[in-house]
């Protein structure tokens, strides 16, 4: 693992893509973890993305990366990966698959390689923020680099 602490950081260093780390004092007092990160870092919440794990019929677990203030459109996620229905994955199943705990699931450095869908709103920003693999650590990266590292696709999967 990288000296800076998480499997996510190690995965990005190994991929050779540029990124910046941002840490903040996670308190859990401001509600949603992603919104707390945006406030603590002074970043527009539209640039801070959360990593969710959906369970799609006939496909299995799928990673969805959406803005922290949005909700996941499960039907759109299922359609994007060739399924008919999707539900949020059981948190224990998501934690086992990713190797991260709830609130610290990073799209990078996961135990299992999951299909990844990035909400297309990310393309409107020069860089976005995603979890660095633990609460209080965010990775700033371009959407194009995130897509390249993960082999991800973009789609309209978030709803305000």
């Amino acid at each position: 693992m990288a000296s800076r602490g998480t499997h996510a950081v190690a995965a990005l260093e190994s991929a050779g893509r540029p990124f910046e780390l941002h840490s903040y004092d996670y308190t859990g007092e401001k509600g949603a973890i992603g919104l707390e990160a945006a406030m603590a870092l002074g970043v527009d919440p539209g640039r801070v993305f959360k990593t969710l794990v959906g369970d799609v019929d006939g496909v299995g677990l799928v990673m969805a990366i959406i803005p922290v203030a949005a909700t996941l459109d499960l039907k759109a996620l299922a359609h994007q990966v060739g399924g008919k229905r999707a539900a949020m994955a059981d948190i224990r199943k998501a934690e086992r698959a990713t190797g991260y705990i709830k609130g610290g699931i990073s799209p990078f450095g996961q135990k299992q390689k999951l299909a990844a869908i990035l909400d297309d709103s990310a393309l409107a920003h020069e860089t976005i923020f995603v979890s660095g693999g633990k609460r209080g650590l965010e990775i700033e990266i371009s959407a194009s680099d995130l897509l390249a590292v993960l082999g991800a696709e973009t789609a309209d999967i978030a709803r305000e």
Side-chain angles (χ1 to χ4, degrees), residues 7-128:
H7 292 288
V9 172
L12 281 174
E13 287 176 340
S14 178
R17 297 290 177 148
F19 67 96
E20 288 186 43
L21 284 179
H22 300 272
S23 58
Y24 64 95
D25 291 327
Y26 169 75
T27 64
E29 296 172 3
K30 295 182 178 96
I33 294 169
L35 292 174
E36 179 175 338
M39 289 174 54
L41 298 173
V43 176
D44 173 2
R47 289 181 58 210
V48 181
F49 283 65
K50 57 188 171 185
T51 304
L52 303 174
V53 180
D55 198 346
V56 179
D57 67 323
V59 177
L61 298 181
V62 177
M63 180 179 12
I65 308 161
I66 66 170
V68 296
T71 57
L72 178 60
D73 182 335
L74 290 163
K75 187 172 182 174
L77 177 67
H79 175 75
Q80 185 64 29
V81 297
K84 290 185 180 181
R85 279 175 261 128
M88 293 303 299
D90 174 79
I91 191 59
R92 292 178 305 276
K93 197 173 179 183
E95 289 175 340
R96 276 193 308 275
T98 64
Y100 297 112
I101 63 167
K102 181 180 178 183
I105 295 178
S106 177
F108 304 109
Q110 296 184 354
K111 283 186 173 181
Q112 294 178 12
K113 179 153 176 57
L114 302 178
I117 310 299
L118 174 65
D119 185 67
D120 57 15
S121 66
L123 301 175
H125 306 287
E126 188 174 323
T127 60
I128 60 172

Side-chain angles (χ1 to χ4, degrees), residues 8 11-12 15-18 107-109 113 141 143-152:
L12 281 174
R17 297 290 177 148
F108 304 109
K113 179 153 176 57
I141 189 167
S144 61
D145 283 332
L146 180 143
L147 292 167
V149 171
L150 297 177

